[in-house]
Every structure is written in C-alpha cells, then in structure tokens.
Amino acid sequence: MAAILFWRQVRRYNNFMSDPKPTIDQRLDAIAESLQLLTADVHELQILTRENTANIASLTADVASLTRITSDVVDIVKTHEHRLNRIQGLT
C-alpha cells in the first residue's frame, strides 16, 4: 500500500515540476496530496509497530522459556555426570 502511495506521490511531484509555473491551486493540491500520503504512511507505520511489538513480546517469552529449559537440561547433565563419575570411582 505504501509503495503505491509513494509512486503516486513521485508521479505527482514529477508532473508538478514539469509545469513551467504551477498555480496556487496546483501547489495547494500537491501539498494536500502529500499530507494525505504522509498521514497514510504514519498510520501504516503505527500498525506495523503494534504488530512488531506483539511479535517481540512473543519472542521474548519464547527466549525466556528456552533459557529455563536449557538451564534444566544443564542441571540434568551435571547430575548424570556426577553420578557417572561416582560409579566410575573418579570422585
């Protein structure tokens, strides 16, 4: 959506610049269209930011869970290693 609006603005700007001397109405129209496009871009960025924030929160929870699981596995490995060392008479 933003790309379409961007290229529409580029085309409008190019048309505006090709006129030898744009009128006040043409200038106001160009400003109004630029403002609409900017507003649409800001709105889209707000939506994307909310989505990214939710994704980051989910990833943070997943990393915390993996950290706990990894810690549990390390504890199990240490326990088994200690037991094997005891069985082999190394401690």
Side-chain angles (χ1 to χ4, degrees):
M1 173 82 175
I4 294 170
L5 295 175
F6 171 77
W7 289 112
R8 194 179 299 161
Q9 185 177 12
V10 168
R11 193 169 46 250
R12 174 79 171 158
Y13 177 79
N14 289 338
N15 289 342
F16 179 76
M17 293 305 290
S18 66
D19 286 343
K21 192 163 192 174
T23 65
I24 296 293
D25 287 341
Q26 289 172 324
R27 290 180 184 180
L28 289 174
D29 287 343
I31 291 171
E33 186 172 348
S34 295
L35 181 60
Q36 289 172 346
L37 294 171
L38 182 61
T39 302
D41 286 346
V42 168
H43 179 68
E44 188 171 340
L45 284 172
Q46 287 173 334
I47 291 170
L48 292 173
T49 301
R50 278 193 290 273
E51 291 172 359
N52 287 340
T53 301
N55 290 339
I56 289 170
S58 175
L59 288 172
T60 302
D62 291 345
V63 168
S65 176
L66 285 172
T67 302
R68 284 191 301 274
I69 291 169
T70 303
S71 177
D72 292 345
V73 169
V74 167
D75 291 342
I76 292 169
V77 168
K78 285 180 181 178
T79 302
H80 284 294
E81 184 179 32
H82 180 69
R83 192 172 6 173
L84 286 172
N85 287 338
R86 218 176 11 157
I87 290 171
Q88 294 173 350
L90 296 176
T91 56

